[in-house]
Amino acid sequence: MSAYPEAAFLASAHRPAQFLPDEGAEVAFAGRSNSGKSSAINAIVGLKGLARTSKTPGRTQLVNFFSLGGERRITDLPGYGYARVPESVRRHWDRLMDAYFRTRRSLAGLFLLMDVRHPLTDFDRHLLAWAGAAGCPVHILLTKADKLSRGRGIATLQAVRRELGPGVSLQLFSALKGTGIDEAREALDVLLGTNVSAGQKEAPGA
Ligand code: GDP
């Protein structure tokens, strides 16, 4: 039985005008490519293949919207990875993310996924800055926790917590081993039930 039995893909947006109607509550999932974002979305939402669209070509340039039922959504934000990306792709990503965080009134939280072995890259710091400017609460998943011993995982968790301060919640996560799935669902549900920044943003397309 899925935790979100009504979960379904809704649409992809290549530019802000294609964002879905800005209603209800939405939690965005972001992470560099290969951070384990697709696996995490599948594990948390409970449907295999749900995030398959993030595997399609051009995935660095699309915001994918999924319904969790009712007016609750998650978005799968585009990410890029270790390899250099063309400047045009990087510019498009910047514009798309800036528009998303600046205008999205329904944005209730950001799930930021970081490989526990490589936390707080420039990519991650960009996302944290956008979320901070938008007043958007952040929950961090340190992914692939099975790749480290429990002790080293906890040490990383504490180091990231020290660096980011008390405003950010974070946890260890492994889609492979099932570590932290319940905790992540709880955090997701809390964010979707609260929408603290509603009504404070610019109109889309501004
Ligand atoms: P995405 O590019 O961020 O969507 O990442 P994916 O979910 O496609 O995962 C990238 C790679 O990491 C794949 O080879 C996955 O099998 C692997 N991976 C994802 N989650 C885990 C995990 O919890 N543990 C381990 N060991 N590998 C994982």
Side-chain angles (χ1 to χ4, degrees):
M1 177 66 184
S2 164
Y4 302 93
E6 295 174 64
F9 172 72
L10 293 170
S12 296
H14 182 69
R15 40 176 212 279
Q18 297 168 331
F19 291 166
L20 289 190
D22 198 0
E23 294 153 0
E26 189 167 287
V27 168
F29 282 66
R32 285 208 304 182
S33 58
N34 208 41
S35 62
K37 177 162 55 90
S38 309
S39 305
I41 292 174
N42 286 335
I44 294 165
V45 174
L47 283 179
K48 286 202 168 55
L50 183 65
R52 71 188 177 284
T53 43
S54 64
K55 296 285 113 180
T56 57
R59 65 183 178 277
T60 53
Q61 311 201 43
L62 295 175
V63 175
N64 293 308
F65 293 81
F66 299 90
S67 173
L68 296 184
E71 293 252 42
R72 298 175 307 157
R73 290 180 305 279
I74 60 169
T75 53
D76 180 5
L77 299 183
Y80 55 82
Y82 303 85
R84 282 170 68 102
V85 289
E87 187 51 33
S88 60
V89 171
R90 172 62 202 258
R91 263 203 314 276
H92 177 269
W93 181 81
D94 247 13
R95 277 201 299 269
L96 194 62
M97 292 299 91
D98 185 61
Y100 183 79
F101 282 98
R102 207 159 33 78
T103 66
R104 201 78 183 147
R105 290 183 167 88
S106 56
L107 182 62
L110 171 68
F111 262 49
L112 179 58
L113 283 72
M114 314 191 295
D115 187 317
V116 71
R117 297 164 299 172
H118 317 285
L120 293 173
T121 63
D122 287 350
F123 176 97
D124 302 320
R125 292 178 192 279
H126 254 85
L127 268 302
L128 287 167
W130 267 312
C136 171
V138 177
H139 184 72
I140 291 176
L141 303 186
L142 295 173
T143 60
K144 308 188 191 181
D146 57 276
K147 292 274 197 184
L148 294 184
S149 68
R150 175 109 185 115
R152 287 192 59 207
I154 288 172
T156 303
L157 187 82
Q158 288 169 340
V160 174
R161 181 176 285 142
R162 259 197 311 278
E163 176 153 356
L164 297 183
V168 167
S169 61
L170 70 166
Q171 64 164 105
L172 292 168
F173 188 87
S174 166
L176 189 73
K177 292 279 160 72
T179 313
I181 292 177
D182 288 343
E183 190 180 347
R185 284 185 187 142
E186 248 178 72
L188 178 61
D189 289 340
V190 166
L191 290 171
L192 287 170
T194 53
N195 189 358
V196 289
S197 58
Q200 294 174 6
K201 299 198 182 158
E202 298 172 25

